[in-house]
Amino acid sequence: MSSIEPPHPPGLSFQRPVPLNPLAIPPTPTPPPSPIPYTTFTVREKRLIASLLGFTSLASPLTATIYLPIIPLLSAHFHASTQAINLTITLYIIFQALSPAVFATLSDTLGRRPIFLITLTLYFLASLGLSLNKQSYAALLVLRALQSLGASAILAVGYGVIADVCVPAERGKMQGIFLAAGNLGPCIGPVIGGWVALRSGSLEWVFWCLVIFGGVALTAIGWIFPETGRNVVGNGSMEAQGWRKTWWTTIRDHAGKRRETISAGEGEGDRGGSEESGKSKKRRFRIANPLACLRIIFWKDTALVLWISASFYAIWYCIQASIPSIYKDIYNFNEIEIGLSYLTGGAGVILGGFATGRIMDRNYKITAQQIGHTIDRIKGDDLNHFPIERARSRGSRYLLGVFVCALAGYGWAVKYHAHPSIPLILQCMIGFLCTCFLQVFNALLVDIFPESPSTAAASGNITRCALSALAIAVLQPLVDRLGRGWYFTSLSIVGGIGSAAAVWVVQKWGMMWRSQRLSRTSRSQPIQMTTEADRTRKFDEKDEISAC
């Protein structure tokens, strides 16, 4: 007798239910795929990279400041006036602004390592030419320009390297190591230049010191510095090719291939497969526009950030430039004592670099907790939906108040001939605070341009150099007219209070302006401001005070 199936609608398939076997083993659920990490570089490799970046970043500040004590020797040696020698300094600053615009922008597409090798080679050869130059003033001009061209891009490219290997929540610590080491240059440069010139009685050995430094830096980068550019090696998991490999890796791979050839024999098929594999790994690169960094200056969300970082760089440059006249005219310091007077400010700069890196990471963590955001230390946070402007600038307004008092106090201390220990201590405080603001807002600049961090850093370099050149040009006329007390007070008002207003604007509207810029440049949807960003506007004064 056949069983009668229950009726079912026409056109629909009907399946008889399968009875469950109570003894059957349930299928094992497939685990979700592990997230792709932001970087594959280990902690040890990051420390090596930070150390190499710190050492090579000495190139520009060391080369600029080691030159200052030998200006009288240069004038006598080349039979040129002091004003003619000062022209070489002006030329150095001009190329200091131009170099990152070219090389840092290229590093975002060609990779970091080729740019380091090119610029350090240029720096080494220019320094060698200066040490061999005997009487030509024209050669001095040209070689100093080339020396600046080779040395000045390293800092901007270094910011790109940090963005390559560190998630946003951890960039502060590595940046602190990088900048603290680089900030040694303005401290030890005048001391080394004066000491070498005094001991040797010749300016040639000052340039030979730079030759030695350039050779060591080029060798270290060539042998062990890995390629980090995300356009070239991704998160570090892709193998670098050609001259993007370290020299050590190239020699090791060449030796390994030679051993494999000897053991396996020279087969035509093997060689053909290797060639095809090599061809498949070749990639095409788009050469970026070297003037792209100029466009960054005119975006609303970056213009104020650039102003803040550039203003504190220019203020510190004015402090450095005024030290010789202050301590010679007021305190009757000799040349060696004037050189040593730079060390207190340098100590503040170095301490500021280390401390600010840790404060930045702490502020990022606190901001994430306040908006209920979980920090992703594996893949990295999507900053399009994170109030990075508030995280970086947290606590800045209170530090700006301290800065205004310290800078104004410095001016009145030297005006009324206070004990030299007072301006020296204030130099340390000002150096610390200038480094804090410079480092914080340079990091913010890199954060809001994740696709081209070195290009963003190059735009910062251009604005810093331009504002510093303007500040130095009007330094002495304003001091003569206002006196040192009112000059530094005016500087503190323009820099401190003006930056406080800029910080307030960036915190309130920076994320919205960033959303508008991204929507215009990438045709993407504007950043949603309804949850996390809106809640960040409710920060209370206790949170700001705790950041200090």
Side-chain angles (χ1 to χ4, degrees), residues 32 38 50 97 110 164 186 205 268 294 333 349 356 384 465 474 486 498 538:
Y38 182 84
L110 298 180
D164 292 336
W205 273 105
E268 292 292 331
L294 295 178
F333 279 18
V349 167
T356 305
N384 288 345
C465 291
V474 301
W486 282 113
K538 299 179 181 179

Side-chain angles (χ1 to χ4, degrees), residues 109-160:
T109 54
L110 298 180
R112 315 298 181 194
R113 181 177 165 81
I115 301 303
F116 276 128
L117 293 176
I118 292 172
T119 54
L120 286 173
T121 300
L122 181 61
Y123 174 80
F124 174 78
L125 294 177
S127 300
L128 182 62
L130 285 168
S131 63
L132 298 176
N133 181 32
K134 299 300 182 182
Q135 297 293 334
S136 176
Y137 173 75
L140 176 66
L141 281 173
V142 173
L143 291 172
R144 278 293 285 180
L146 293 176
Q147 197 179 41
S148 178
L149 195 66
S152 302
I154 293 174
L155 185 64
V157 179
Y159 277 108

Side-chain angles (χ1 to χ4, degrees), residues 82 206 247 309 318 327 392 419 428 432 519:
T82 302
V206 174
W247 296 344
S309 64
C318 290
Y327 289 98
R392 294 302 187 211
H419 191 273
C428 183
F432 180 93
S519 65

Side-chain angles (χ1 to χ4, degrees), residues 277-345:
S277 175
K279 291 179 181 179
S280 65
K281 293 181 180 178
K282 291 182 179 179
R283 302 178 59 187
R284 292 182 178 180
F285 294 95
R286 177 180 58 85
I287 303 300
N289 182 5
L291 301 179
C293 57
L294 295 178
R295 186 181 182 186
I296 294 176
I297 299 174
F298 300 101
W299 290 110
K300 287 190 293 185
D301 62 320
T302 55
L304 291 177
V305 175
L306 290 169
W307 153 256
I308 296 170
S309 64
S311 62
F312 286 100
Y313 184 86
I315 288 172
W316 183 241
Y317 215 104
C318 290
I319 294 286
Q320 296 284 88
S322 64
I323 283 177
S325 62
I326 288 174
Y327 289 98
K328 183 176 183 180
D329 298 341
I330 297 176
Y331 298 106
N332 297 318
F333 279 18
N334 58 35
E335 283 72 15
I336 296 178
E337 290 172 334
I338 291 173
L340 293 175
S341 66
Y342 282 89
L343 296 180
T344 58

